[in-house]
Amino acid sequence: TNSPIGMCFDSNDHLMVANVQSPPRKITRFTLTNGLYSSDSVIVNFNGNDHRPEFITMDGADNIYFARPDNSDGNLYRLTPNNIIENVYVANFGDLIDPRGLAFNDEGELFVANNAYPNQSSYISKFSFNAANQLVAQDLSFISGLSSKLQDLFFAPNGDLYIAGGGGNRSYTI
């Protein structure tokens, strides 16, 4: 991969890596062999389409979730194991501002880091799934007032939420 940015593991411990270099804009699967990860296959190639996944996360069914990392869309997408891209959250203008990292907690709720823009506070949004398996915003400003430049999120096994970025090369634990 030329410019890896987002990573997650599937249920078989394969490492998925989002590459933002254009071309090739893609998600590649890596397998662990003799203690080293090596490229196994390209899961999906995004050249020629409008999606630009950077930060990615996976659910227990090996669906990959991502957002458009700018303010032109704000929608949230699911890439199924059959390589079908589904729009699972249609944003209203301003719902998600420059969305970046995504993470699921143990309850299956999805959290999204919003980088915001200079002179704005970053924030984290919280979503859950409805009966139609679409995301519903529970709280668009679940955690607000963070300094700008949020990048990524991760839930530790004990449930603590780790937040990378926030200016000044800091990370937070919530």
Side-chain angles (χ1 to χ4, degrees), residues 54-77:
E54 290 185 4
F55 300 94
I56 59 177
T57 194
M58 256 182 163
D59 65 14
D62 287 342
N63 294 299
I64 298 173
Y65 291 81
F66 63 93
R68 287 280 306 273
D70 55 38
N71 199 28
S72 67
D73 185 327
N75 294 339
L76 298 174
Y77 298 94

Side-chain angles (χ1 to χ4, degrees), residues 145-152 162-173:
L146 300 169
S147 58
S148 64
K149 300 182 183 175
L150 286 187
Q151 293 298 312
D152 210 355
Y162 287 82
I163 305 166
N169 296 320
R170 293 186 303 222
S171 62
Y172 301 92
T173 306

Side-chain angles (χ1 to χ4, degrees), residues 58-104:
M58 256 182 163
D59 65 14
D62 287 342
N63 294 299
I64 298 173
Y65 291 81
F66 63 93
R68 287 280 306 273
D70 55 38
N71 199 28
S72 67
D73 185 327
N75 294 339
L76 298 174
Y77 298 94
R78 173 174 44 223
L79 174 65
T80 69
N82 296 325
N83 288 345
I84 298 169
I85 298 172
E86 302 171 336
N87 189 333
V88 292
Y89 179 75
V90 178
N92 294 310
F93 181 77
D95 282 358
L96 302 176
I97 300 176
D98 196 17
R100 298 295 176 115
L102 305 95
F104 283 102

